[in-house]
Amino acid sequence: DAGVTQSPTHLIKTRGQQVTLRCSPKSGHDTVSWYQQALGQGPQFIFQYYEEEERQRGNFPDRFSGHQFPNYSSELNVNALLLGDSALYLCASSPGTLEAFFGQGTRLTVV
Amino acid sequence: GESVGLHLPTLSVQEGDNSIINCAYSNSASDYFIWYKQESGKGPQFIIDIRSNMDKRQGQRVTVLLNKTVKHLSLQIAATQPGDSAVYFCAENRANRDDKIIFGKGTRLHILP
């Protein structure tokens, strides 16, 4: 079992560009959540997907959007990138229970 | 409101000693708490969890204590090892409502030789 995998591991984008991050959940997990972790901070909840629908959303602007596919994998899209969007983006999957498993994250740098 | 906070940003402990990391939460309705360990360049790793109907739970070398009266929880690591060096987060998961995990800012644990 590969666990939660995210791609790419690192990414550099220019201000104003758009980015897509990808996540494959742990086998058997149908729920995917995305978190943003700024340097020196705890992860902040962005949104959660279940059955291809956004089930819950944190306090993030609608520049942040996502998608879940029938195989439960997920994408996070960020439009009109700002310098402040530079962070580690974490994906977590769960089988509908309380325990969530995190991927290694994608380090996004906006210049 | 939604907040989970830690008392200290950095903790230094001698190798072999016990470590205690503290955390306060503000919402008395919180019903599930998790401790995560995050090593440099990695995602958070589940350590141990506790439900609000418990006051203590033990794992391998780790113990979590929950004091609902003062809204405080702690993580105790026995016989601290160099591999325990990491940032530790307490987190809250209000699974009965929306399943999102709310993290505190983290405590960095330094192991002294």
Side-chain angles (χ1 to χ4, degrees):
Chain A
D1 182 3
V4 180
T5 58
Q6 293 185 242
S7 63
T9 54
H10 296 83
L11 198 55
I12 300 175
K13 287 286 189 178
T14 303
R15 206 169 25 174
Q17 285 188 315
Q18 178 265 344
V19 69
T20 297
L21 310 181
R22 295 176 175 82
C23 172
S24 293
K26 188 176 172 66
S27 178
H29 288 191
D30 57 7
T31 303
V32 173
S33 302
W34 287 91
Y35 293 81
Q36 180 196 64
Q37 185 176 23
L39 198 62
Q41 302 291 320
Q44 298 293 311
F45 176 79
I46 303 175
F47 43 52
Q48 182 182 82
Y49 278 85
Y50 172 71
E51 293 188 342
E52 303 179 51
E53 297 279 337
E54 183 182 290
R55 179 162 70 175
Q56 192 64 219
R57 189 178 182 92
N59 188 26
F60 279 80
D62 56 12
R63 295 187 299 108
F64 290 77
S65 63
H67 189 77
Q68 185 179 35
F69 299 94
N71 66 353
Y72 307 127
S73 67
S74 178
E75 288 182 350
L76 164 65
N77 300 292
V78 187
N79 294 323
L81 283 166
L82 304 173
L83 296 179
D85 295 331
S86 295
L88 180 68
Y89 288 84
L90 294 161
C91 171
S93 73
S94 66
T97 61
L98 297 175
E99 187 174 344
F101 292 81
F102 284 82
Q104 301 284 60
T106 294
R107 172 69 63 187
L108 172 65
T109 302
V110 182
V111 297
Chain B
E2 298 182 349
S3 71
V4 181
L6 300 192
H7 289 305
L8 293 173
T10 305
L11 176 67
S12 296
V13 174
Q14 205 75 36
E15 182 179 348
D17 287 352
N18 296 335
S19 302
I20 300 176
I21 301 172
N22 296 304
C23 179
Y25 63 94
S26 61
N27 192 335
S28 57
S30 300
D31 50 20
Y32 179 63
F33 302 91
I34 317 117
W35 281 99
Y36 286 94
K37 172 185 180 183
Q38 187 173 26
E39 297 175 280
S40 181
K42 297 184 178 181
Q45 177 186 2
F46 174 93
I47 303 173
I48 191 168
D49 59 2
I50 188 167
R51 294 181 183 268
S52 59
N53 61 353
M54 304 170 69
D55 54 20
K56 181 179 180 179
R57 190 159 188 230
Q58 288 184 292
Q60 186 178 13
R61 279 203 309 122
V62 294
T63 301
V64 55
L65 300 177
L66 175 63
N67 185 329
K68 294 179 288 293
T69 303
V70 295
K71 291 184 283 187
H72 177 273
L73 68 158
S74 66
L75 175 70
Q76 300 178 2
I77 304 174
T80 311
Q81 303 169 359
D84 294 328
S85 290
V87 177
Y88 290 82
F89 293 97
C90 64
E92 168 192 10
N93 184 337
R94 292 183 254 179
N96 290 335
R97 285 173 281 284
D98 55 23
D99 291 334
K100 66 181 179 182
I101 300 172
I102 300 170
F103 285 80
K105 291 186 178 180
T107 292
R108 181 172 296 281
L109 179 62
H110 287 289
I111 310 304
L112 304 172

